[in-house]
Amino acid sequence: MNVIGQTHIGLVRENNQDALEYGTLDSATQYAVVCDGMGGANGGNIASKIAVEVIGSRIRDGYQAEQGSVERLLESAMNTANIGVYDRAQQQPELIGMGTTVVAVVTSGHKAYVSHVGDSRLYLWRKRTLTAVTRDHSVVQELVERGQITEEEARSHPRKNYITRALGVRDSESGEFDELDLMPGDRLLLCTDGLTNEVSREDIGRLLELPAEAALEGLIRAALNGGGADNITVVLMDID
């Protein structure tokens, strides 16, 4: 097992509103959390930081391989993070409306447990094939599903950054849960839209063929070469 990650401010933004945390829980278990804040420079920073800290802490403190359900653990972590972001905004009126996307993953053996809100994504790379695991909670995703635009058109659509769900905007929000069977040699990619808006799916898949550290650096560099218009965050989780 191996999990590595990196975040970059990009070439346009004045601050980094992305946040990430990752680590190992035991010899067979690792976790990662990636967030992309929204709500202005200060609000976005605060929302993503709160969510990463709360979810990471809940996963670390609550995970026990032989007890309970990882789904319930992730549900509790996302709910608690939502309350944390929302309550902070109520205490500081200038932060009203701030929120954050989240994608959180726990891998245990050959299972991955996933919870997400918004348009930060999880991909599975297996045998040179890249598959999206999460579904964006966004306006353009709804247009794609209705057949009104193509996935390629969605990348440059004027409303590509309009998300329909985020943690902290409302007093109640929970993540969408998925469970995934894994195989030795699989690689999971967690990322914010600073990567996917700048780098094609084909190029992401090609870079994921590299060893982990080279792939990580290559993905960040590709997003910067594509314009670096947003903050960029990437986490890679390799499965033995």
Side-chain angles (χ1 to χ4, degrees):
M1 285 195 316
N2 183 46
V3 54
I4 58 174
Q6 184 177 336
T7 188
H8 194 289
I9 194 172
L11 301 177
V12 175
R13 304 284 188 179
E14 294 184 355
N15 52 37
N16 194 342
Q17 297 183 52
D18 287 0
L20 75 162
E21 181 176 314
Y22 57 88
T24 58
L25 301 172
D26 59 38
S27 60
T29 309
Q30 55 192 359
Y31 76 97
V33 186
V34 166
C35 293
D36 181 356
M38 49 174 269
N42 293 330
N45 292 346
I46 293 169
S48 61
K49 182 179 180 182
I50 290 172
V52 158
E53 290 179 350
V54 170
I55 295 170
S57 175
R58 283 276 173 156
I59 290 173
R60 290 192 311 273
D61 295 344
Y63 179 80
Q64 296 181 28
E66 70 282 359
Q67 295 182 11
S69 159
V70 180
E71 179 177 2
R72 288 197 297 272
L73 173 61
L74 287 174
E75 180 181 12
S76 172
M78 297 287 264
N79 288 339
T80 304
N82 184 77
I83 292 168
V85 175
Y86 182 82
D87 285 354
R88 179 68 173 273
Q90 304 311 301
Q91 295 162 11
Q92 296 179 246
E94 68 273 17
L95 299 178
I96 293 289
M98 74 173 179
T100 184
T101 70
V102 181
V103 56
V105 179
V106 176
T107 66
S108 182
H110 290 147
K111 284 282 189 181
Y113 306 92
V114 186
S115 187
H116 86 286
V117 175
D119 61 357
S120 291
R121 295 178 182 175
L122 175 69
Y123 288 94
L124 168 66
W125 186 79
R126 172 182 290 167
K127 297 181 179 178
R128 293 188 168 185
T129 299
L130 187 67
T131 304
V133 177
T134 54
R135 168 192 172 274
D136 289 353
H137 302 132
S138 69
V139 170
V140 294
Q141 180 63 36
E142 293 177 358
L143 294 175
V144 169
E145 291 175 358
R146 291 201 294 264
Q148 294 178 244
I149 62 173
T150 66
E151 289 191 8
E152 184 60 31
E153 289 171 334
R155 292 186 62 225
S156 58
H157 194 278
R159 301 185 73 190
K160 66 181 180 181
N161 294 323
Y162 287 45
I163 60 174
T164 56
R165 292 175 60 184
L167 284 192
V169 177
R170 295 180 288 269
D171 61 356
S172 178
E173 182 66 85
S174 57
E176 181 176 337
F177 180 79
D178 291 286
E179 188 173 318
L180 183 66
D181 290 323
L182 300 174
M183 298 172 56
D186 284 352
R187 173 173 285 171
L188 298 177
L189 164 66
L190 296 80
C191 62
T192 58
D193 63 355
L195 175 72
T196 52
N197 285 342
E198 304 288 8
V199 186
S200 71
R201 193 158 170 162
E202 292 74 20
D203 285 343
I204 290 173
R206 177 179 55 80
L207 288 164
L208 287 174
E209 295 182 21
L210 300 172
E213 290 189 5
L216 184 68
E217 293 174 4
L219 289 165
I220 297 289
R221 190 182 315 112
L224 294 172
N225 291 341
D230 201 352
N231 311 139
I232 308 150
T233 300
V234 175
V235 174
L236 300 179
M237 308 176 80
D238 286 345
I239 309 302
D240 295 334

